[in-house]
Amino acid sequence: KSGTGVITNDGTISDPTSPFEKSLQPIKEVKKVIYDVLPGRSFHETTPHGINGIDALKNINKDNKDIDCYLLQMGTNDAANIALGSTFTAEDRIKAVLENTGNSKVIWIAPQISKDATVQGYTPAAADVLNKALAQAEKDTPRLKIVSLPDKLKEAAGKVEGLPATPDEFFVDGIHYKGMEVTYWMSDLIADSLKVEQPKDKVGDEVKKTKPESEAPSAETATMEPGEN
């Protein structure tokens, strides 16, 4: 599914059929979610589907002020592009994201590519290159929190009713999610990340921990997803 929209905590959602919107709407701590989903998106490369991730961030920033937190579920296509020889390295892509999110918090769901993927460039090793760079950036950047999709898949596989027995089985082709149960689980992971995976908040040269969920102020969140390739 692709598109843009807004979800507010007063019960208003753009698309009642969207599992993504249904999962995010109940988060009372977040006043408004602005989302942008596009098939095949990466941060620098432009596809026939539309603008790249950096341009999408710029558009969100132009139309919305005082965004408290950005949530990104991107990187699969970036990992493949890097593996295929892109001049933009993993570090270049992370730097561009941080430059376009001001001093706001950033939650980034690191990608997983299964061993069953057959499209050129899409390999577990390619995802590992990006994920290692993300892990280092998290150490260097207090406002950045990485949520490891590979780790979350291992935790859920075979343990959550209705989900596949192994991480590789979550994907129909090594890249795209298989079935609505996995889609709903992924949407819930995004929502849970907003609630509990908050990074530290950097203000000037001081670093302070985010307030507990019960004390957290209402905030605007911008989220980006790649959609389906």
Side-chain angles (χ1 to χ4, degrees), residues 71 107 109 147 188-198:
L71 187 146
I107 301 172
I109 300 178
V147 177
D188 288 342
L189 174 60
I190 293 171
D192 289 343
S193 297
L194 280 175
K195 289 190 286 187
V196 302
E197 299 287 359
Q198 288 289 324

Side-chain angles (χ1 to χ4, degrees), residues 18 126 128:
S18 168
D128 286 345

Side-chain angles (χ1 to χ4, degrees), residues 23-217:
S23 294
L24 287 177
Q25 194 273 328
I27 305 177
K28 292 182 170 54
E29 292 77 21
V30 178
K31 180 174 64 177
K32 182 169 70 174
V33 173
I34 305 113
Y35 70 88
D36 188 321
V37 182
L38 188 74
R41 174 175 276 166
S42 60
F43 283 108
H44 286 286
E45 293 79 12
T46 299
T47 74
H49 298 296
I51 62 174
N52 64 33
I54 296 303
D55 286 341
L57 279 173
K58 290 178 179 178
N59 284 347
I60 289 172
N61 293 339
K62 179 177 64 176
D63 297 331
N64 302 277
K65 305 301 181 185
D66 301 322
I67 293 174
D68 179 73
C69 180
Y70 294 80
L71 187 146
L72 311 174
Q73 191 220 333
M74 284 185 60
T76 300
N77 300 307
D78 293 275
N81 289 332
I82 294 165
L84 292 173
S86 170
T87 57
F88 296 104
T89 66
E91 290 77 12
D92 291 335
R93 293 163 193 267
I94 296 166
K95 180 181 179 183
V97 168
L98 294 176
E99 287 176 345
N100 283 279
T101 51
N103 288 318
S104 301
K105 293 171 284 188
V106 178
I107 301 172
W108 192 326
I109 300 178
Q112 162 101 351
I113 300 175
S114 94
K115 60 181 177 57
D116 299 323
T118 58
V119 181
Q120 186 179 13
Y122 291 84
T123 65
D128 286 345
V129 169
L130 178 59
N131 289 346
K132 286 177 181 176
L134 286 171
Q136 183 59 53
E138 181 181 36
K139 293 178 182 178
D140 298 337
T141 313
R143 66 186 180 91
L144 173 64
K145 171 66 180 179
I146 304 303
V147 177
S148 170
L149 180 55
D151 289 346
K152 296 294 183 181
L153 290 173
K154 289 176 185 175
E155 293 172 7
K159 302 180 182 70
V160 177
E161 185 177 356
L163 293 182
T166 67
D168 286 333
E169 294 177 275
F170 276 65
F171 303 92
V172 67
D173 55 3
I175 305 169
H176 301 100
Y177 304 128
K178 181 191 295 182
M180 289 307 298
E181 287 294 336
V182 173
T183 300
Y184 276 105
W185 175 83
M186 191 66 224
S187 296
D188 288 342
L189 174 60
I190 293 171
D192 289 343
S193 297
L194 280 175
K195 289 190 286 187
V196 302
E197 299 287 359
Q198 288 289 324
K200 295 177 181 179
D201 191 9
K202 187 171 184 180
V203 180
D205 294 325
E206 297 180 1
V207 176
K208 64 179 183 180
K209 290 187 176 180
T210 303
K211 292 181 180 180
E213 180 182 332
S214 60
E215 301 176 19

